[in-house]
Each structure stands twice: as C-alpha cells, then as structure tokens.
Amino acid sequence: MDYLIVGAGLFGAVFAHSARERGKSCLVIDKRPHIAGNIYTQAVNGVNVHKYGAHIFHTGDKAVWNYINRFAEFNNFVNSPIAVYRGELFNLPFNMNTFNKLWGVKTPAAAKAIIERQRAESSVTEPRNLEEQALSLTGRDIYEKLIKGYTEKQWGKPCAELPTFIIKRLPFRWTFDNNYFNDPYQGIPIGGYTSIVEKMLDGCEVRLNTDYFDFIKKNSEIADKIVFTGAIDEFFGYEFGELEYRSLRFESEMLDIDNYQGVAVVNYTDRETPWTRIIEHKHFEFGKQPLTVITREYPVEWSRGLEPYYPVNDDRNGILYQKYKTLADKRDDVIFGGRLGQYAYYDMDKIIVSALKAAAEEKL
Ligand code: FAD
Ligand code: UDP
C-alpha cells in the first residue's frame, strides 16, 4: 500500500479520497465498528441519529462548500438552539430575542445601554480567564444565566480557571437573528453524514475493529507512509505525559411521540441539570416520523479508554503538545492529522482544509 490511514473519520476519509484520485492505494483502519468517526450517523426508524453529538456543517469557505457538495446534497437547516436556564427559555446566540427576554428591551440601543452598563460594572480591562472575558464581553446577566453553568459543566473547571478563547466562539448580535453561526454556507447532508464518508472511501480497503497499536506489530511493512488521526500522545506512548481531553456520555431514547422539544438543539445552561444539551435528531431534517429520538449529552472527565472528544487547548497542554509535535516533525514516515493528531478544536470545514492541504503537500 502507498498509505496506511489510521482513522476512518473525516480527516482520514478526505485524505484517502484525494490519494485515490491520484491513483494511490490506501488501507484505512479504525478501531471502532463503523466508519465516519465522530460524524457517524445511523438511521433509526427513519431518523438519522447523530451518534456522537449534533453535527451541523457550516463554513465561510466556498471551496470547502463546493467540495462537500460533491458527496451529498445539503438541506437548508439553520441551527437556532434554545437555552434553558432553571426552566426559563432563551434564544441563542445572544441576540435581540435573548435581550428582550432577559430585560424586556425592544431596540438595539436599549440592549446596548444595559450591556454597556454591566460591562463597565465588571471593571475588567484585560481579561485573564474565561470568566473575566465573558463579563467584559457580555456583562453579568448573560454570563450567569447562559454561560457560567454550561461552561463549567462542559469543561469540568471553574470559568476563572479556563482560557479565554473558548468563549470567543460564541457569536453576539444586535439583530433578531437566531442563526447560531455567522457562516454563509450551512446545512445537514440529506441522508446523513455516514454516506459522505462511504463515498469518500470508495475504492479503499477498510478494516474496522482494528486498533493501530495491535495492527502495526504484525504489519509494520504494510505501507510506505502512515496517516495517523488518533491521539498524538498515545502514538508516542505518552512519553511526556498525557494531554488533557474532555469526554462525553450520550444517552439516547426513542419516544412514542412525534415532537419532544420543537427544535434540534436545547442547551441546559444551569448548573443543576447534569447534561449540557438535548438533541432531537429528526429536526435536523424536518422529519415527519410519528416517533422521535432524543439524546442527552453529559460531559465526562477523560481517562484512558474513554473517547477523547475535545482537546483542552490551554497553556499547559499547548506546551506539552509542542513537545509531541517536535517528535512528530521528525517522523517523515507519518502524517499526523485531525482533531486528535493535531490536538486542535477543528470543526468539519477546517478538517477538510487541513486534510486537502496534507494531501497536496504529498505531491500525490
Ligand atoms: P474523528 O472523527 O475523531 O476520527 C478519528 C478516528 O480515528 C476515529 O474513528 C477513531 O476511532 C480512530 N482512531 C483513533 N485512534 C485509533 C487507533 N489507535 N487505531 C485505529 N483507529 C483509531 N464540527 C462541525 O463542523 N459542526 C458541528 O456541529 C460539530 N459538532 C460537534 C459536536 C461534538 C460533540 C464533537 C465532539 C465534535 C463536533 N464537531 C463539529 C467537530 C467534528 O466532529 C470534527 O471536526 C471531526 O469529526 C474531526 O474528524 P477527525 O477525522 O479529525 O476525527
Ligand atoms: N457556551 C455557553 N453556553 C451555551 C453554549 C456554549 O457558555 O449555551 C460556551 C461553552 O463554553 C462552550 C463554548 O461556548 O464550550 C463553545 O460552544 P459551541 O456550541 O461552539 O461548542 P461545541 O458545539 O463545539 O461543543
């Protein structure tokens, strides 16, 4: 084989497709019993269930949008999640609907006046952590009702100990617009994500239930080059210690009703509710089925053996990752890619860019 690709997730699949297009041979292995990694969807009674959490495709990059549309037709789903704080409902992202519900204000000027006052009360000039960043951006009401509880559950640490960049991901608007994302292109692939990856992997040999670390012992000569999309610290035997990850537990239920929450994603932003989100999958595809499937998402502390869903990109882990990266850079026979191989909080569109770049650099 020209390439042994470890991980049948999006990075591995995009790379494999690119390599195949140029006549290269690829063997793709994955330790899971299915392809598609975290974007895996499975049809359950006609509902495409996002098995590893809500996945909404969105991008500002027209080339990426054109690329992904080669593999699926997308619907016009727009993510407009609802936040629940102690039984009260708010629109996300923070927008005029949210401000109206919080304070009864009807105009951008009135909302700005309240937020400006609360920002000034926070007296933060140079935010050093997520709490200070949130207070200086949004003021106390939004921080306490919509950010603090959710973030502390999600990351398992007080906001005062978390890095600021996490919160920069949350859009903030002065219009009555509940679209969670700012990107011009957004949607859900009709028929789910798994068939996209299936098409990308067409022509490649794929072996599931196959862990790289066992496989390579007996097959060290199988390919000229390895594309590794598992965890970089695991690849190097945790030589410098473990990088930190956040894991998740998903609890799904099929309900004998046609509509549970009226929207695809509801965030629970109070501390008391143990889950962060409930997804009702059918709403991603405007489903008309008589039944519905919902999934509660619980953040979990990661330890070896659990799925490392999120890298924790703070300073400590940044320094540790650089040490692993130095080792990785010396390995001409291995390309490290994806969320785990590059220890980066990449969305799907960034994964595509990165995998196409890695393939292009190979001068395949
Ligand atoms: P993965 O999908 O993790 O694939 C890596 C694969 O490698 C896995 O299948 C794994 O089993 C396999 N593997 C690992 N180690 C080994 C080994 N030793 N041997 C064999 N196989 C191995 N992005 C968006 O754009 N929009 C969203 O709405 C969105 N929502 C998300 C929600 C959640 C809860 C999460 C966790 C992520 C979300 N993302 C979203 C990000 C998206 O999931 C990633 O960008 C994408 O899945 C990363 O692809 P990947 O190939 O790098 O990783
Ligand atoms: N966040 C929050 N309240 C919410 C949703 C998100 O405080 O209702 C914060 C939280 O810290 C989260 C970050 O914003 O980790 C990014 O949220 P996003 O929805 O982009 O996260 P993802 O879908 O990647 O988990």
Side-chain angles (χ1 to χ4, degrees), residues 4 26-27 40 73 79 93-95 122 127 177 187 190 207 213-214 218 222 224-225 229 232 244 263 282 326 351:
L4 168 64
C26 301
L27 169 63
Y40 177 63
E73 193 183 332
N79 192 28
F94 312 138
N95 72 77
S122 80
D177 178 1
I190 294 167
R207 291 194 211 165
F213 298 103
D214 297 329
K218 290 192 191 133
I222 199 159
D224 294 342
K225 208 157 184 182
T229 72
I232 190 169
E244 204 179 344
V263 66
K282 71 191 299 179
T326 306
I351 291 283

Side-chain angles (χ1 to χ4, degrees), residues 2-3 166 170 187 189 208 243 283 290-291 328 359:
D2 293 306
Y3 292 96
I166 293 173
L170 284 180
L208 300 174
L243 286 162
H283 296 308
L291 297 165

Side-chain angles (χ1 to χ4, degrees), residues 193-206:
Y193 287 93
T194 307
S195 70
I196 292 184
V197 173
E198 222 164 58
K199 285 182 196 152
M200 287 175 174
L201 293 177
D202 189 31
C204 298
E205 186 183 339
V206 179

